[in-house]
């Protein structure tokens, strides 16, 4: 059985594929607006930009804020191929993202189901609805292949 | 008794003062290089840039990476007027900051002594040495005044 991905998650995977081509860790993200249309998308660019904060999620959130002319993306959703880290989970909270959809979990750096489980903490003041496991095996395969070739 | 602040923390406070003038939450940060000289400094610009990630720490780390042409700021230190949040704590870890000096603790959003206590977690793969309470009362006064005028 083939399961179709939501177009925004499909875009996130295109961004992850493009990140591999640039030698970046293969993670992609996509923000959709309140109408469900794609507002922004990005893949990791930490190496290219010499910027540890240039994770796919942060870049997509920054671009969406720029497109909307607003700091808070109320009513917007984020689709990302991997479980967000603590940096990105906090940014997702600050941006008031409504729903977070992600692919594979990340036991090493994840902060949603792993590590700090940021959205469950009293110091987290907005938590999105979370949907995990979308495109999970593809996400995991991309990362496994990437790190096998590098390490 | 007057205690002199380290020049990098003094710069961080200048950035916090400048942030207030722009209507931003008064937090400032400064990165010093392995030689102790100032590499970069910034204050919050989340409102101006429509960017939830534009905390003082993130902007200063990004600028230092750009100055050095490196993603990782090994041997560099970060001075910030307030306890970093989870987003910034994770970025500090990713950037391999050696020493973190901060002013007042932040019980609401802090992630070093409060909340996730990020640097103590197994999913944190580099922790800086942490020195807290530098310019603490000045940091707290800036924030108290700011929020009293706004809320």
């Amino acid at each position: 059985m083939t399961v179709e991905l939501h177009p925004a998650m499909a875009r996130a995977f295109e961004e992850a594929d493009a990140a591999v081509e640039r030698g970046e860790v293969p993670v992609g993200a996509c923000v959709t607006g309140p109408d469900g249309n794609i507002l922004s998308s990005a893949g990791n660019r930490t190496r290219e930009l010499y910027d540890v904060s240039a994770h796919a999620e942060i870049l997509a959130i920054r671009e969406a804020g720029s497109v909307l002319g607003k700091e808070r993306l109320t009513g917007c959703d984020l689709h990302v191929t991997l479980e967000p880290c603590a940096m990105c989970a906090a940014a997702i909270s600050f941006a008031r993202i409504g729903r977070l959809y992600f692919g594979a979990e990340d036991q090493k750096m994840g902060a949603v189901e792993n590590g700090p489980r940021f959205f469950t903490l009293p110091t987290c003041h907005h938590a999105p609805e979370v949907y995990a496991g979308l495109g999970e095996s593809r996400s995991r395969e991309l990362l496994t292949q990437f790190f096998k070739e590098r390490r």
Side-chain angles (χ1 to χ4, degrees), chain A residues 9-30 41-46 54-60 78-85 88 101-106 109 138-140 142-144 146-147:
Chain A
M9 188 58 94
R11 173 73 75 86
F13 274 104
E14 289 169 17
E15 293 284 2
D17 291 339
V20 177
E21 296 298 316
R22 295 191 302 268
E24 303 274 357
V25 176
V27 179
C30 179
S41 69
N44 276 352
R45 290 187 182 272
T46 63
H55 282 194
E57 300 95 310
I58 299 279
L59 295 179
L78 181 75
H79 307 249
V80 54
T81 60
L82 186 70
E83 179 183 356
C85 72
C88 294
Y101 301 88
F102 72 83
E105 69 163 340
D106 182 357
M109 302 232 299
R138 182 171 168 192
S139 170
R140 201 183 309 280
L142 266 169
L143 286 155
T144 305
F146 179 79
F147 286 111

Side-chain angles (χ1 to χ4, degrees), chain A residues 4-6 15-16 20 22 29 36-37 44 50-52 56 63 68-69 74 84-85 100 102 108 111 125 130 141 143:
Chain A
E4 293 281 332
L5 285 174
H6 185 284
E15 293 284 2
V20 177
R22 295 191 302 268
N37 291 327
N44 276 352
Y50 308 126
D51 176 3
V52 292
E63 190 188 336
L68 295 178
T74 309
C85 72
L100 166 65
F102 72 83
K108 188 166 175 245
H125 306 289
V130 177
E141 174 60 26
L143 286 155

Side-chain angles (χ1 to χ4, degrees), chain A residues 59-76:
Chain A
L59 295 179
I61 286 171
R62 288 172 58 191
E63 190 188 336
S66 182
V67 167
L68 295 178
K70 292 195 298 189
E71 190 184 342
R72 293 182 176 178
L73 309 178
T74 309
C76 296

Side-chain angles (χ1 to χ4, degrees), chain A residues 6-8 31-39 75 77 79:
Chain A
H6 185 284
V31 173
T32 51
D35 60 1
N37 291 327
I38 290 173
L39 277 179
D77 298 334
H79 307 249

